[in-house]
Amino acid sequence: MLLASMMFEEETGVMSVAIDDYELANLSKVIQQALPHYEIQRVIVNHYPGSGTGRSNVSRTHEYNLFVLPAGADVLRGKEREEGLRERNFRRSGTGDNNYRIGRPNSFFAILVDPTTYQIKGLEPPPTIDKKDYPRERTKDGWLRIYPFGEDGSERVWSLSYEGAAQALSDGLLICTKNMVINRLYKDEKARNLLQSVWLGKKFNATSYGTNLLTDMFGTSGLFSYPKSLYTVSTAIDTVTFDAERALVLDFFAGSGTTGHAVIDLNREKGNRLKYVIVEMGEYFDVVTKPRIQKAIYSKDWSGGKPISREGSSHLFKYICLESYEDALNNIELKRTEEQASLLEVHDEFREDYMLRYMLDVEARGSASLLNIETFVDPFNYQLNVATGASVGETRPVTIDLIETFNYLLGLRVKQVDAIRGFRVIEGTNPEGEKALVIWRNTREKSNDDLDQFFQKQGYNTRDRKFDLIYTNGDSNLENLKRDNETWKVRLIEEEFQRLMFDVQDV
């Protein structure tokens, strides 16, 4: 079994690979050959304690986690040291809704403080969002009720939910100053010991925190074979990203989605802003991988397929389905004229050469998977027939996101996306640093005159909104709107789309 993921920060990266005894030697040789300037650090993970695998001689209860890092780099760390605590205001700052009661009602509650000793005595459950007359006076025991009010009296929130704050208080990580300010204690993440070469403990058990965890989340068993322990993966990620709040984690064998789940939990627990990209081609993506990410965001704890704590996470994720090779073939439509057919019947010696050199160019022209330019008239409803998996050969029409696809083909770093009066507008920067504007429309509904008026009304040709490249589908008159001192260029989306898809001279 192989799990490969990479943690990136700036221009440095570390690869983490899980492997068993059978392929450890081969994998190590492949890594050394492919990455000669990197070194391998091995960790033994006791992931099947008690049961193990194997039916004779030795029951294997372990696997290996390989960390592949630049030679000589000292970037791996293990557990935190006890010393090195720092303080931070427990009240959230910022202007977003998630910093206020309206956005996070479960993080608005009273912390009870002894006004004599400044000791935190407990918490009161959050008042319901519609309740405005919640108690603010002292409790019957004389404890002060401290809410996360802003200096202007606004109803802000604490940096943890009620459940999270209760755990932090239990761990001794919440304190009150003499000014009645609630602070949260953080362990200095940089004050860590070196990583140990053997990982032992219940949290690494792949049965308890892999198989059984999925059963708790989905309420049924057998959805995925041999999932990793959530904590094995989160420990591997934390080992590399402990001092990087904005690292990127890439897992190109996502499986059941353990890596995404681990990143979500680490962000929720430590307040980091790690990002993840996971890739999977298995049919279980829609029934396990994606739903698991959604469930992990919604609640930290599950049982019988139902959320327990509802300690959620403010989170946005985007998933992209790539066209498969089989779907590309299924959408090729061959159109052979009677003249072509008769020529091939008469001249057998031409048939093979024709099929190899010309058939796709001539007979398949206009197929959806080969980019049917004619359907760009309505780019918002471009469709491919995609296999359903229900039975061999069965397909269903699926609308393809041409707009997103074109952004990727351009290598566009998108800054803004707007839908304005029937036009879809994307602003961004291409890899050459040029500012690009892409305007999509249904050319049956939006004429060139409509496009001209829209372009000028939005001020796309003014100095304040200057662009280097402007793309639009369908012929247009935009070039005629250019002033004498302007140098922006207009390009036809259809032509650029086809060129970028099939021009392989630079590949």
Side-chain angles (χ1 to χ4, degrees), residues 102 118 166 215 217 240 321-322 340 417-418 427 468 493:
I102 189 173
Y118 309 104
T215 300
M217 294 184 76
V240 179
C321 297
L322 300 181
Q340 290 170 327
V417 178
D418 288 311
E427 299 180 28
D468 301 302
I493 288 177

Side-chain angles (χ1 to χ4, degrees), residues 111-122 143 169 175-176:
I111 295 178
L112 308 180
V113 176
D114 184 332
T116 304
T117 64
Y118 309 104
Q119 183 181 3
I120 297 179
K121 294 296 185 177
W143 314 139
L169 180 60
I175 62 172
C176 181

Side-chain angles (χ1 to χ4, degrees), residues 1 76 277 305 307-308 317 320 372 389 420 449 463 471 498:
M1 180 177 290
L76 306 180
V277 177
I308 300 176
F317 79 95
I320 301 169
N372 185 355
I420 309 172
D449 288 340
R463 182 174 299 177
Y471 300 87
Q498 195 156 41

Side-chain angles (χ1 to χ4, degrees), residues 7-14 240-241 243-248:
M7 280 68 78
F8 292 104
E9 183 188 9
E10 297 177 353
E11 295 181 356
T12 62
V14 175
V240 179
T241 65
D243 61 348
E245 290 188 358
R246 295 178 178 269
L248 172 63

Side-chain angles (χ1 to χ4, degrees), residues 63-325:
E63 67 175 358
Y64 299 89
N65 198 93
L66 308 187
F67 290 98
V68 185
L69 54 150
D74 183 20
V75 295
L76 306 180
R77 290 294 181 271
K79 294 181 179 179
E80 303 93 342
R81 297 174 186 167
E82 292 184 1
E83 70 273 13
L85 289 177
R86 54 191 172 88
E87 293 184 28
R88 185 186 299 173
N89 196 315
F90 190 44
R91 190 186 68 195
R92 288 182 66 97
S93 59
T95 58
D97 284 349
N98 63 336
N99 297 297
Y100 292 89
R101 183 188 181 195
I102 189 173
R104 297 181 63 186
N106 199 40
S107 295
F108 180 84
F109 50 86
I111 295 178
L112 308 180
V113 176
D114 184 332
T116 304
T117 64
Y118 309 104
Q119 183 181 3
I120 297 179
K121 294 296 185 177
L123 315 174
E124 284 187 338
T128 58
I129 187 65
D130 58 338
K131 191 171 184 179
K132 304 299 181 183
D133 57 346
Y134 45 85
R136 305 190 189 189
E137 68 280 1
R138 296 191 183 197
T139 68
K140 62 181 181 179
D141 295 319
W143 314 139
L144 293 176
R145 287 186 170 99
I146 300 180
Y147 289 93
F149 293 124
E151 285 75 8
D152 58 355
S154 58
E155 295 178 326
R156 304 189 72 88
V157 293
W158 303 117
S159 59
L160 291 175
S161 66
Y162 174 74
E163 294 81 7
Q167 183 62 52
L169 180 60
S170 175
D171 295 338
L173 298 179
L174 292 184
I175 62 172
C176 181
T177 72
K178 292 182 179 180
N179 296 325
M180 294 300 169
V181 175
I182 306 298
N183 284 338
R184 180 182 176 187
L185 298 179
Y186 291 83
K187 294 178 181 178
D188 188 347
E189 293 294 330
K190 295 186 179 181
R192 288 183 171 227
N193 297 309
L194 293 178
L195 184 66
Q196 293 188 343
S197 61
V198 179
W199 292 357
L200 298 172
K202 294 180 180 180
K203 69 179 184 178
F204 301 115
N205 189 318
T207 299
S208 300
Y209 297 105
T211 302
N212 295 346
L213 177 63
L214 279 185
T215 300
D216 287 338
M217 294 184 76
F218 288 88
T220 185
S221 60
L223 291 176
F224 189 87
S225 301
Y226 307 112
K228 296 289 178 188
S229 164
L230 174 66
Y231 297 103
T232 298
V233 178
S234 64
T235 301
I237 295 172
D238 188 52
T239 292
V240 179
T241 65
F242 61 92
D243 61 348
E245 290 188 358
R246 295 178 178 269
L248 172 63
V249 181
L250 167 64
D251 186 345
F252 38 89
F253 293 109
S256 67
T258 309
T259 296
H261 189 167
V263 171
I264 292 166
D265 276 7
L266 283 171
N267 285 342
R268 180 161 39 209
E269 175 187 346
K270 300 191 174 186
N272 291 346
R273 299 182 66 182
L274 304 179
K275 294 183 178 181
Y276 61 89
V277 177
I278 61 177
V279 182
E280 185 52 66
M281 61 178 293
E283 294 181 354
Y284 46 79
F285 175 82
D286 287 317
V287 294
V288 180
T289 313
K290 180 167 70 72
R292 179 179 186 176
I293 298 298
Q294 293 171 312
K295 287 173 177 285
I297 294 168
Y298 186 75
S299 178
K300 182 180 179 181
D301 304 297
W302 293 78
S303 178
K306 296 181 180 180
I308 300 176
S309 67
R310 295 186 185 272
E311 185 180 339
S313 175
S314 178
H315 189 85
L316 171 69
F317 79 95
K318 178 179 186 179
Y319 72 96
I320 301 169
C321 297
L322 300 181
E323 178 186 2
S324 71
Y325 178 71

Side-chain angles (χ1 to χ4, degrees), residues 355-388:
M355 292 179 67
L356 291 175
R357 296 175 181 270
Y358 302 105
M359 189 175 72
L360 281 180
D361 285 340
V362 176
E363 296 185 21
R365 187 174 298 155
S367 296
S369 57
L370 297 179
L371 204 62
N372 185 355
I373 297 299
E374 294 179 1
T375 60
F376 273 52
V377 170
D378 182 7
F380 310 123
N381 291 295
Y382 192 92
Q383 292 189 331
L384 286 177
N385 291 316
V386 175
T388 63

